[in-house]
Amino acid sequence: IEQTFKTIETVREKVPGAYIILADNSKQNPQEYFEDKVDKFLYLGDKKFARKAASSKSKSFGEAVLMIYALPYAKKFDYIFKLSGRYFLNENFDLNKWDLKRLCFLHNTEAYDSLPSKTKYFYGSHNMVIYGFPRKYYGRMYRAFWLSIPFIQKTRPIETMLPFFSRRPIYYMETLGASGMMAVNGKL
């Protein structure tokens, strides 16, 4: 809960006026901790599909399902950011470096300087800590989450499947400006 408080605090500080939607699929509803800190709280732990995803061995499945439930609440906004709750915006986050007309990702497997293009899809792992897309790509992204699920359930990571299904146009970020505890190893 403390990590998520820090996430919210840094978003309020670095992106003034942001509308924050917090989607949670835990077994117990933590709404009392967050209802006065976010603009929209979605408790999905009582939804069968969300619980199935949260209880699976794949963290990607849980993330995809959370986004499927949360995106309809965000589609009215010009640009939609997804930031994982255990991460926070750090001193390197700069909203001016985001191309708000494109889908923005950081590529995990290729160094920024070695990417063949900064604006065309390049296969490989993409960072899911924070990414964003404009409202005009809402339908494409919503569909990409749904299309990713069968592959994710067969152990393919969302880091490769979501960008594959949503591929154009992508703008590759040099840095994200987010820090936090990694789910796989607990390191900062």
Side-chain angles (χ1 to χ4, degrees):
I1 289 176
E2 291 301 320
Q3 290 173 327
T4 306
F5 284 160
K6 186 168 184 173
T7 302
I8 296 164
E9 179 184 311
T10 61
V11 170
R12 294 274 185 233
E13 174 191 326
K14 305 254 183 208
V15 189
Y19 186 91
I20 299 175
I21 299 168
L22 176 60
D24 183 275
N25 60 2
S26 46
K27 288 182 181 177
Q28 293 187 332
N29 186 345
Q31 183 171 356
E32 65 183 281
Y33 300 106
F34 298 108
E35 61 190 348
D36 64 338
K37 298 189 179 331
V38 298
D39 300 292
K40 179 73 177 170
F41 182 84
L42 298 173
Y43 176 63
L44 305 170
D46 57 353
K47 307 273 188 234
K48 188 175 181 179
F49 188 45
R51 282 302 320 141
K52 177 182 176 185
S55 300
S56 80
K57 292 179 183 178
S58 169
K59 75 172 188 68
S60 294
F61 186 27
E63 180 173 339
V65 172
L66 279 173
M67 290 301 292
I68 287 167
Y69 277 104
L71 276 177
Y73 294 94
K75 70 180 179 181
K76 64 184 176 183
F77 299 103
D78 292 335
Y79 200 82
I80 300 164
F81 285 96
K82 179 270 179 185
L83 174 63
S84 296
R86 68 183 166 275
Y87 294 90
F88 56 91
L89 301 179
N90 64 30
E91 65 281 352
N92 296 317
F93 180 83
D94 183 352
L95 188 58
N96 295 316
K97 291 184 178 178
W98 289 75
D99 184 338
L100 301 180
K101 293 183 171 129
R102 298 178 196 233
L103 172 60
C104 293
F105 276 110
L106 177 75
H107 204 284
N108 278 341
T109 51
E110 293 293 325
Y112 180 79
D113 292 335
S114 69
L115 286 170
S117 170
K118 307 302 185 255
T119 59
K120 292 184 180 167
Y121 171 77
F122 186 72
Y123 185 78
S125 179
H126 293 65
N127 193 298
M128 295 286 118
V129 169
I130 182 173
Y131 55 89
F133 57 94
R135 177 177 40 211
K136 67 182 177 179
Y137 297 128
Y138 167 84
R140 178 183 300 173
M141 292 302 293
Y142 188 76
R143 182 174 176 265
F145 280 108
W146 276 110
L147 290 171
S148 298
I149 286 178
F151 297 92
I152 289 168
Q153 288 178 307
K154 294 178 181 172
T155 70
R156 296 294 300 270
I158 195 169
E159 290 85 354
T160 57
M161 299 317 305
L162 180 66
F164 176 77
F165 286 117
S166 60
R167 39 169 120 185
R168 292 175 288 274
I170 286 181
Y171 174 73
Y172 286 108
M173 305 290 294
E174 187 168 6
T175 184
L176 295 174
S179 301
M181 302 301 271
M182 293 183 61
V184 294
N185 62 15
K187 293 183 179 178
L188 185 64

